[in-house]
Amino acid sequence: MNVITSAPRPALLPRRVVLAAALGGLVGSPFLAGCGRDPITSDMVRANVDRNRPDAMPTAATVDSLTRFGAEISSQAQAGSHNNFLCSPLSLWLALAMTRNGAAGRTAAEMDKALRFGDLAGLNQGLNTTSQLLAERSGKQQTSSRTGKVALRIANQLFGDQTFSKDPNAWRRPFLAAVARYYGTGMALADFQHKPADAQRRINDWVADQTNDKITKLLPDGMITGDTRLVLVNALYLAAPWLEKFAAAGRRPFHRHDSVVPADMMRISMDSGTAKTMLGTVVRIPYLGNQLAMTVMLPAPGREAAVRDRLVRELPGMLGQLAPAQVILTMPKFSYRTTIDVKLVLRSRGMELAFSDSADFSLMSPQPLKITDIAHQCTIGVDEEGTEASAATAVVLDASSGSSARPIEITLDRPFWYVIHDLATKVPLFVGYLADPTAS
């Protein structure tokens, strides 16, 4: 279908659109129930197209770009900091890829470069395949000694202003077709113009429901106003226990950047994968079902900054094949929440036009729009049972080692990087840095 363009309307028209993505849930507990109600009951604006079937695997180019983007944004956001860090490259990509389908011209080109997006059709189908394949990881899992349930699902939802959307030309049809075909969603109508607080509460409730109440306030007070015209939300829910349960190991010293704190530790002896490089030691901790894993990188003493600066080079290797080994691993339990200024990072990567009055989102709507803010919030908790992790992103638019017969002992008693990822596709769900297991 051809895109019908129109000249910008006069000034004083609303120019605000909010796009939001949330990723969250629980990884670790074998007793989790699924998400509850779906509060979307209003009329929908949706393209009458079926969602594309997934390919056998996402392309190597898609996974490589996503992994490199995750490493780059993590390295940039963590630069100069000695605090805990966590982000979700997949959540960010899903939110911003939906946004990219409405961008044109130089705005689109800057987004592609800053976000490492490739060809738009390939990007869309790659994320469509990734989302649907990850959903297949769900189900009951059992070993000779452990039974549990893995739940992994991804939901996308658009919320459009009901008054604005009454105009049949408010939203470009190819844009609606793209989000339906590749992201499986349509647009629920909300009263942004007259009841912005109620609309914001409704969106936050939807996110909380999709993330098992791990993200309860994705949109902060005041983000939704009477000028808001669109909110795009992505939610990913993940629940899985470890393949083998850890045992409590009592309190032991953890060496922070500038001090030592007592940390609650846990310990396990397991068949796993490991590697040792000049920069540090890598070890993999599988989740039940052996389809998902947490892989950690413990920097060698004095090499912490080098690992961060070379994370783009190190991360793909962390997600690849590791040498099998018997590992005795001791690591801290931890739980914390972080917020990242994604807008600042993306601007430093050359994505400027999207945030300016010269932004071109004409493939989304005839009205002039620009991004005004991007918020990304993550939470994680790790204990003997598994990992509890969640993340949320809001995009706001205004109008290497060999195996050994002897067990390898690894103790994570100082800051380390970790990534939660899918083993078959090598897609990174979370990238994090633990600086202090006692900080929340």
Side-chain angles (χ1 to χ4, degrees):
M1 185 178 300
N2 292 331
V3 176
I4 302 174
T5 60
S6 62
R9 300 184 184 184
L12 302 181
L13 285 174
R15 295 177 54 85
R16 186 178 184 85
V17 176
V18 178
L19 297 90
L23 180 155
L26 186 63
V27 187
S29 172
F31 307 109
L32 284 175
C35 287
R37 68 194 183 285
D38 181 352
I40 303 303
T41 57
S42 65
D43 294 336
M44 296 282 290
V45 175
R46 182 178 179 130
N48 187 24
V49 297
D50 294 330
R51 186 167 189 177
N52 274 15
R53 292 184 177 183
D55 299 324
M57 291 283 283
T59 65
T62 296
V63 177
D64 180 69
S65 292
L66 173 58
T67 302
R68 289 178 178 276
F69 168 74
E72 288 171 351
I73 198 168
S74 298
S75 178
Q76 288 179 258
Q78 183 64 8
S81 172
H82 297 288
N83 298 322
N84 293 337
F85 168 84
L86 185 64
C87 81
S88 171
L90 182 59
S91 176
L92 287 167
W93 251 36
L94 284 165
L96 291 163
M98 288 193 290
T99 311
R100 169 61 180 86
N101 278 274
R106 289 176 55 204
T107 300
E110 285 189 357
M111 291 185 71
D112 289 344
K113 184 176 181 180
L115 296 162
R116 281 192 170 269
F117 288 166
D119 167 72
L120 183 58
L123 171 71
N124 284 333
Q125 181 60 13
L127 287 175
N128 174 58
T129 294
T130 297
S131 297
Q132 296 191 61
L133 291 184
L134 288 176
E136 295 177 1
R137 307 296 183 245
S138 297
K140 184 178 179 180
Q141 305 290 340
Q142 186 172 2
T143 66
S144 59
S145 59
R146 192 157 168 79
T147 300
K149 179 182 178 182
V150 172
L152 177 54
R153 57 185 179 270
I154 298 173
N156 300 304
Q157 182 64 58
L158 277 65
F159 295 83
D161 179 65
Q162 62 186 23
T163 302
F164 177 79
S165 299
K166 288 179 180 178
D167 182 347
N169 298 313
W171 307 110
R172 302 290 193 192
R173 296 183 193 180
F175 170 73
L176 294 176
V179 295
R181 181 174 291 116
Y182 299 109
Y183 302 92
T185 191
M187 185 183 298
L189 300 182
D191 193 356
F192 294 139
Q193 292 193 38
H194 304 103
K195 299 179 179 179
D198 290 347
Q200 177 168 299
R201 189 178 308 112
R202 179 186 174 198
I203 296 168
N204 281 338
D205 287 347
W206 185 87
V207 172
D209 186 72
Q210 295 297 321
T211 61
N212 204 39
D213 288 327
K214 303 307 169 187
I215 304 292
T216 59
K217 198 171 184 179
L218 171 60
L219 305 179
D221 292 343
M223 180 170 283
I224 300 297
T225 72
D227 292 333
T228 300
R229 293 296 172 264
L230 178 65
V231 179
L232 295 87
V233 185
N234 159 261
L236 184 154
Y237 178 82
L238 174 62
W242 298 120
L243 178 63
E244 300 177 49
K245 184 178 177 179
F246 281 74
R251 285 201 159 190
R252 300 189 183 186
F254 186 93
H255 302 265
R256 300 186 302 189
H257 167 65
D258 56 359
S259 61
V260 179
V261 294
D264 292 324
M265 306 291 278
M266 57 188 189
R267 185 177 176 89
I268 191 172
S269 177
M270 61 180 178
D271 292 320
S272 184
T274 186
K276 192 160 187 175
T277 73
M278 292 180 61
L279 295 180
T281 302
V282 178
V283 62
R284 180 158 297 155
I285 316 167
Y287 293 108
L288 194 63
N290 261 322
Q291 294 179 307
L292 304 166
M294 173 188 285
T295 298
V296 303
M297 159 71 88
L298 178 66
R303 304 307 301 273
E304 291 82 5
V307 170
R308 184 197 66 224
D309 295 341
R310 295 179 58 180
L311 195 61
V312 176
R313 182 182 301 178
E314 295 296 316
L315 189 57
M318 289 174 61
L319 304 184
Q321 188 70 34
L322 301 179
Q326 178 72 19
V327 176
I328 300 174
L329 176 67
T330 303
M331 66 182 292
K333 298 188 287 185
F334 56 91
S335 176
Y336 64 85
R337 179 185 304 265
T338 64
T339 300
I340 307 168
D341 190 343
V342 180
K343 178 180 176 180
L344 179 64
V345 175
L346 293 182
R347 295 190 82 155
S348 72
R349 294 169 61 85
M351 185 172 151
E352 292 281 358
L353 278 174
F355 304 107
S356 73
D357 289 337
S358 299
D360 184 355
F361 287 100
S362 57
L363 300 187
M364 182 184 295
S365 171
Q367 288 222 23
L369 306 169
K370 68 176 180 180
I371 298 176
T372 58
D373 203 0
I374 302 177
H376 188 62
Q377 180 188 131
C378 298
T379 67
I380 189 167
V382 172
D383 62 14
E384 295 91 344
E385 289 288 339
T387 307
E388 184 173 39
S390 62
T393 311
V395 183
V396 183
L397 274 76
D398 190 5
S400 154
S401 128
S403 62
S404 171
R406 297 173 55 187
I408 300 173
E409 289 206 40
I410 301 173
T411 301
L412 306 180
D413 59 358
R414 47 194 170 81
F416 60 88
W417 287 90
Y418 62 92
V419 56
I420 298 173
H421 59 103
D422 183 66
L423 290 172
T425 65
K426 301 181 183 178
V427 169
L429 307 180
F430 294 91
V431 177
Y433 178 78
L434 183 69
D436 182 358
T438 66
S440 58

